[in-house]
Amino acid sequence: MNVREGWEQLAESLIPLKADDYYPHGSGLAFWESLREAPEARAELEVIRSEGERLLKSPAEELTYSLFSLFAVQGSRLEYERVYFEKRRRLNTFAFLSLLEPESAAYEAALRDAIWAICSEFTWCLPAHVDAKRPVSETIDLFSAETGFALAELSLLLGTRLPELLRVRIAELVDERLFRPFLEKGPYHWEELTNNWSAVCAGSIGSAALLLMTEQRDHARLAQILEKTERSMGFYLQGFGEDGGCPEGLGYWNYGFGYFVYYADLLLKRSRGQRDWFNEDKVRRIAEFQQKCFLGGRLVANFSDAQPYGSVQPGLSHYLAKRYAEVEAPPALLHADYREDHCSRWAPALRNLIWRDCKAAGTAEWRDGDFVFEDAGWLISRFTTAGDTFGFAAKGGHNGESHNHNDLGHFMLAGGGAFFLSDLGCGEYTRDYFGEGRYRYDCNGSQGHSVPIINGCLQREGRERAASMIRCDTSAEACEFTLELSGAYEDENLQSFNRSWVWNKTELPSLALRDDFRFTEAPDSLTERFVSPIQPEMASPGLLRFVRGRLALELYYDPNQLEAEIKARTYRDHYGKDAVWYALDFRVKQPEAGFGVELLFKFARQ
């Protein structure tokens, strides 16, 4: 039997999904009634109701040609996307309120209008993802795939409560904009990508097919879609090493792995356990990634295009915690608010309600631990002492990663819920941000990371620009981590550059940093740069102090070797707002052909 025949046989055996298959006790009506009365859900539902009241009073905006054309004209994305995502917010909110309060004619009417408006859009794709080489009608991007998945799921959950006209139109459009192009107009660039695109696009299409293709006549096409979807899921998993680390960062783990899980769950249900991705060891290790990323409170080891402050999708997190003993139920304080996702994605929002385990005993903090990702080249350490949680994270890897930053040897320090040394995270997404100008942005180039500037040169991008892990030892008392980083710089004079950290986990921890350089001849200049959200004070020669709340970080250096300078700089954050950061530059006064630099970062109480 060949692969296609195997999928055709599986497709013929799949049982159609029913709305009640979604709910813990098999009854949608009973679920929404119990949720409406559940004390532990009150705060979340109040947020959804508040959004409903706001949206009922607000006229829906349209996606005009003028908005669509802004990306082509000036490269900006936020203007169109604000209206696009607000339309998805209307869809989600009125859908949830219609399920929670089926007696409300106002919510039901608003939901029908929201569905009609999205069905009337010229395209479900974002302008930034429209390829001039392919007709718009044949383009499939992340958000078109998500939209089709959302409408298909809504059609199943609401059933005959939706007018037949809308149910038929949803099925027609999902077929026209997703199924037919996927089967007839590919291959698409994302089908073999090893990042979030393959999981979100293929996973959404596969999920929509599992929801809508239920008749005997659909089996052959369903088999084709599942075969292609499964292939893309294999490529997605190749983007992870055996360590389960996600080089794209926590935000894209939530996104890509979330859609992988949503699809895998639907396939598991329809196949009655015949196809179970969750039995794969690599999937289990990837599921553990989230709990290892936090540095205390909401602080995240946010390498790559990730936000410095994070939250968790409680539905996804609780689902994985039930699947795997190694996965922790998340601290309740980290649960994402309904309004937090500015993209207003339906799939995670629904599962935050139907998968959330209100009885899960999440702790106040994740458990302490030292987490080594050998494939990604990361070390993350988190521990709690005297009521405060402290975190240290450092990375190697290479400068050709998905959502890459030129950041080999970069590190961050956190304590008491605040960053002292940080990562800027992701900036505002524009055409240039993903184009030739990417590394001119401080958040992407090495100028915005805690790494040296050698002979005036920054790190270069490319997979060949890679770090080598020399040492990584962890114990209850300390972590020692050493990387060789000369390959990150295009400087023929640089023979070797070893960066070593010793993270001492005492009651008030300290981090000793040593950089050892070897050149064929003495460089003209070398500057050690560190990134902080806090403006430090020059306490005395050889000592800088960063103060945040009841904690301070003291930075000790040799003033005879290094000259310190503090510069305030500004970058545009992911939401298009100006944010200030501080570049702490330590210029080596007399660099030699071979020399070392030592600095000590030590926490202190105020």
Side-chain angles (χ1 to χ4, degrees):
M1 181 186 297
N2 61 33
V3 174
R4 174 62 53 79
E5 289 173 341
W7 281 108
E8 288 178 353
Q9 189 177 80
L10 178 64
E12 291 174 2
S13 70
L14 295 179
I15 58 171
L17 285 169
K18 300 177 181 177
D20 284 348
D21 293 330
Y22 276 72
Y23 303 112
H25 303 294
S27 170
L29 183 61
F31 172 81
W32 293 108
E33 286 179 349
S34 64
L35 183 68
R36 186 166 58 178
E37 303 302 325
E40 60 272 14
R42 186 176 297 121
E44 182 78 354
L45 299 188
E46 284 178 359
V47 170
I48 296 174
R49 290 190 178 99
S50 175
E51 279 292 272
E53 292 172 8
R54 177 183 72 83
L55 293 167
L56 282 176
K57 297 174 184 176
S58 305
E61 293 185 70
E62 290 303 315
L63 292 170
T64 63
Y65 174 81
S66 298
L67 286 173
F68 190 89
S69 63
L70 281 176
F71 182 77
V73 173
Q74 62 190 37
S76 60
R77 297 175 50 159
L78 293 180
E79 299 90 344
Y80 182 91
E81 292 177 9
R82 180 187 62 80
V83 179
Y84 180 100
F85 295 135
E86 182 76 348
K87 293 182 74 175
R88 272 69 187 161
R89 178 63 56 83
R90 298 182 78 89
L91 177 77
N92 297 354
T93 303
F94 294 134
F96 290 139
L97 291 172
S98 294
L99 289 164
L100 286 161
E101 301 180 18
E103 69 280 0
S104 172
Y107 289 144
E108 193 162 277
L111 172 61
R112 293 172 179 178
D113 285 344
I115 294 172
W116 183 267
I118 287 175
C119 287
S120 301
E121 289 174 356
F122 168 65
T123 176
W124 292 335
C125 299
L126 297 186
H129 297 156
V130 172
D131 186 349
K133 299 177 183 178
R134 183 188 289 274
V136 174
S137 61
E138 297 176 9
T139 303
I140 301 174
D141 76 340
L142 298 162
F143 297 98
S144 64
E146 287 179 36
T147 298
F149 178 16
L151 292 174
E153 201 156 48
L154 270 169
S155 185
L156 175 69
L157 293 179
L158 288 159
T160 55
R161 288 186 59 192
L162 284 183
E164 184 179 5
L165 176 65
L166 288 181
R167 286 184 280 121
V168 170
R169 187 59 179 146
I170 286 170
E172 289 175 341
L173 282 175
V174 173
D175 187 67
E176 175 186 312
R177 297 186 177 188
L178 297 184
F179 298 159
R180 271 191 277 159
F182 188 44
L183 293 177
E184 301 169 12
K185 302 300 181 180
Y188 289 86
H189 76 284
W190 46 260
E191 291 186 50
E192 295 186 357
L193 287 183
T194 55
N195 65 17
N196 68 89
W197 273 74
S198 53
V200 176
C201 293
S204 292
I205 295 170
S207 295
L210 289 167
L211 293 165
L212 294 177
M213 292 184 170
T214 59
E215 303 295 331
Q216 178 73 31
R217 64 177 180 270
D218 298 326
H219 288 165
R221 293 182 80 219
L222 176 58
Q224 288 179 275
I225 288 175
L226 292 180
E227 181 183 352
K228 287 171 67 69
T229 298
E230 293 282 295
R231 182 173 178 272
S232 287
M233 291 307 188
F235 277 100
Y236 171 67
L237 294 181
Q238 289 178 30
F240 298 83
E242 293 304 313
D243 57 18
C246 181
E248 293 186 283
L250 180 61
Y252 282 103
W253 177 90
N254 263 298
Y255 190 24
F257 192 58
Y259 276 84
F260 172 90
V261 170
Y262 310 148
Y263 162 76
D265 172 73
L266 290 173
L267 181 60
L268 182 66
K269 285 187 171 77
R270 271 205 72 174
S271 70
R272 290 174 289 190
Q274 292 180 71
R275 186 66 176 102
D276 188 354
W277 276 103
F278 301 107
N279 282 335
E280 307 246 352
D281 283 342
K282 192 172 190 179
V283 174
R284 174 184 54 77
R285 288 190 290 272
I286 296 169
E288 297 176 49
F289 178 74
Q290 174 178 249
Q291 67 205 46
K292 300 175 181 179
C293 285
F294 285 83
L295 299 175
R298 296 189 65 217
L299 307 184
V300 173
N302 63 317
F303 302 123
S304 190
D305 277 341
Q307 298 281 24
Y309 301 93
S311 57
V312 303
Q313 299 295 341
L316 174 64
S317 302
H318 290 158
Y319 183 93
L320 294 173
K322 286 183 178 179
R323 285 272 169 198
Y324 303 113
E326 301 88 347
V327 174
E328 297 178 40
L333 291 176
L334 295 180
H335 288 184
D337 181 274
Y338 174 70
R339 296 162 294 197
E340 188 173 312
D341 179 9
H342 73 285
C343 297
S344 299
R345 297 181 175 93
W346 162 262
L350 171 66
R351 285 155 181 83
N352 283 343
L353 296 176
I354 64 175
W355 282 357
R356 183 183 306 207
D357 183 357
C358 295
K359 297 179 181 177
T363 57
E365 275 281 3
W366 302 101
R367 285 198 298 265
D368 292 352
D370 301 320
F371 311 109
V372 180
F373 298 94
E374 292 187 4
D375 297 300
W378 295 13
L379 169 66
I380 300 175
S381 176
R382 177 181 66 237
F383 80 102
T384 302
T385 176
D388 284 313
T389 300
F390 295 89
F392 162 63
K395 81 175 293 289
H398 60 82
N399 281 344
E401 297 162 348
S402 180
H403 285 271
N404 180 68
H405 292 187
N406 289 343
D407 60 354
L408 304 189
H410 176 57
F411 67 104
M412 54 195 84
L413 274 177
F419 275 115
F420 290 82
L421 296 180
S422 63
D423 188 297
L424 303 182
C426 51
E428 179 186 352
Y429 284 2
T430 64
R431 180 172 54 206
D432 201 37
Y433 189 92
F434 290 104
E436 294 181 359
R438 179 173 180 84
Y439 298 104
R440 291 196 292 268
Y441 290 84
D442 286 348
C443 46
N444 300 332
S446 67
Q447 70 273 16
H449 294 84
S450 294
V451 297
I453 300 169
I454 300 174
N455 261 336
C457 296
L458 303 173
Q459 292 187 11
R460 298 298 301 273
E461 67 275 12
R463 191 178 184 89
E464 70 279 8
R465 307 290 176 183
S468 298
M469 190 182 297
I470 295 174
R471 181 179 184 183
C472 186
D473 295 326
T474 63
S475 69
E477 293 75 33
C479 297
E480 298 184 40
F481 192 37
T482 301
L483 299 172
E484 209 293 318
L485 298 165
S486 59
Y489 296 85
E490 195 172 66
D491 187 337
E492 296 179 356
N493 191 33
L494 178 61
Q495 294 181 312
S496 68
F497 164 27
N498 286 359
R499 169 162 278 192
S500 300
W501 298 268
V502 178
W503 171 237
N504 292 296
K505 294 182 280 186
T506 53
E507 182 174 335
L508 283 171
S510 65
L511 177 70
L513 173 70
R514 180 175 176 86
D515 286 346
D516 287 295
F517 302 94
R518 294 291 179 271
F519 297 87
T520 54
E521 58 184 46
D524 294 331
S525 65
L526 193 146
T527 299
E528 295 275 17
R529 170 163 290 180
F530 304 102
V531 171
S532 179
I534 303 170
Q535 183 173 14
E537 60 184 42
M538 195 75 72
S540 62
L543 174 60
L544 292 180
R545 295 186 85 248
F546 308 76
V547 177
R548 179 62 57 88
R550 62 188 182 195
L551 284 176
L553 181 69
E554 298 175 342
L555 194 170
Y556 295 88
Y557 66 96
D558 181 356
N560 296 315
Q561 182 193 33
L562 303 172
E563 180 180 1
E565 182 180 10
I566 302 166
K567 303 175 185 175
R569 299 180 63 149
T570 303
Y571 78 105
R572 296 271 286 182
D573 71 13
H574 191 55
Y575 305 103
K577 298 179 180 178
D578 289 338
V580 176
W581 65 282
Y582 296 92
L584 319 175
D585 286 347
F586 294 85
R587 183 181 63 83
V588 178
K589 295 179 178 179
Q590 294 182 319
E592 301 173 352
F595 67 97
V597 175
E598 293 185 348
L599 300 103
L600 177 64
F601 302 86
K602 188 175 182 181
F603 281 99
R605 299 280 182 199
Q606 279 290 95

